[in-house]
Amino acid sequence: MTKEGILLVLSGPSGAGKGTICQELLRRYPELNYSISATTRAARVGEKHGVNYWFVSREEFENMIKNDELLEWAEVYGNFYGTPCRHVKDLLQNGKDVVLEIDAQGATQIKKRFPQGVFIYIAPPSLDELANRIHKRGTDSLDVIKKRLSCVNNELTYVHNYNYIVVNDEVQEATNKVLSIITAEKCQVVRNDNIVEEILTNFNK
Ligand code: 5GP
């Protein structure tokens, strides 16, 4: 039987650098599958439907909830975001690893359904640096930036739901840490009962 893939969940406050770390992870570990979320947020300049997000209307999103098509969903900064179910489940069942880049409310829902998931909290080195990064990114209006910064304290209270915390001081270093976590998770005895069985059989010959 195929071993189930690893479900990796990355969260952290806006500006912590989850997106950049995710891109770097996918570049350095191309077998990893990025789950494209659905959102009612308007696309930012350069964002593409079906690449960054599935950009949907409020009505379409509500239908996805009604039809049980989402693994989790949450309202974040006034917009709805959710993880489409089918693709993620198919990938995991076929032994493929999947990464979700979602907020802490969504991660809490995922933890209930997939306690075997690997939950990583990406933290900024400081609040000043976080504000700096959001301003520099230049993708959001001042109003939106204020809203995002005011949610940081609330976001931080969820940190205990996670298995790992990675401080994103420098992207390559933070990505190295996430890759090390994946490697360690893949070596867990519970994920390798086929190898364990083989070794025990050989020793008992
Ligand atoms: P942004 O608008 O900056 O792309 O994302 C805003 C927040 O929504 C980020 O914290 C991001 O991780 C989160 N987010 C993105 N997709 C999902 C999703 O499918 N579910 C949940 N719960 N949060 C998401």
Side-chain angles (χ1 to χ4, degrees), residues 8-194:
L8 198 67
V9 179
L10 294 191
S11 309
S14 183
K18 295 166 297 212
T20 319
I21 291 176
C22 246
Q23 279 171 16
E24 231 359 68
L25 270 181
L26 293 164
R27 193 180 68 77
R28 291 172 59 182
Y29 177 33
E31 294 81 15
L32 188 62
N33 296 274
Y34 180 76
S35 160
I36 302 168
S37 298
T39 183
T40 59
R41 158 166 92 55
R44 294 181 184 133
V45 177
E47 284 185 332
K48 288 204 176 86
H49 183 70
V51 176
N52 306 90
Y53 281 106
W54 302 107
F55 294 100
V56 298
S57 66
R58 182 84 177 235
E59 195 188 340
E60 285 170 311
F61 197 93
E62 281 166 1
N63 279 333
M64 292 175 96
I65 298 174
K66 235 190 269 162
N67 299 331
D68 208 16
E69 289 172 28
L70 298 174
L71 267 188
E72 62 72 36
W73 65 272
E75 185 176 355
V76 192
Y77 315 125
N79 291 299
F80 289 95
Y81 296 80
T83 305
C85 205
R86 176 111 61 79
H87 190 50
V88 172
K89 279 190 171 167
D90 285 351
L91 286 166
L92 291 174
Q93 272 165 15
N94 287 310
K96 314 273 190 219
D97 299 334
V98 179
V99 61
L100 309 184
E101 186 198 329
I102 62 177
D103 90 313
Q105 306 168 72
T108 307
Q109 296 169 46
I110 294 287
K111 199 162 186 186
K112 286 196 187 123
R113 294 180 80 158
F114 294 88
Q116 72 278 31
V118 179
F119 296 80
I120 305 179
Y121 195 86
I122 307 291
S126 69
L127 202 57
D128 282 350
E129 177 56 22
L130 188 75
N132 236 342
R133 288 182 189 171
I134 299 182
H135 280 283
K136 258 207 218 146
R137 195 161 69 179
T139 49
D140 298 304
S141 66
L142 272 183
D143 253 14
V144 171
I145 292 175
K146 262 196 204 149
K147 206 189 262 179
R148 287 182 176 231
L149 284 173
S150 71
C151 293
V152 171
N153 280 347
N154 182 45
E155 267 277 340
L156 292 172
T157 60
Y158 284 91
V159 69
H160 295 293
N161 284 347
Y162 292 77
N163 307 110
Y164 299 94
I165 181 162
V166 170
V167 176
N168 181 20
D169 247 327
E170 199 279 315
V171 175
Q172 291 307 327
E173 189 54 33
T175 309
N176 288 343
K177 287 183 181 165
V178 177
L179 286 168
S180 304
I181 292 168
I182 298 174
T183 305
E185 287 288 332
K186 280 184 181 288
C187 293
Q188 279 210 33
V189 170
V190 287
R191 295 198 203 270
N192 290 284
D193 34 8
N194 51 338

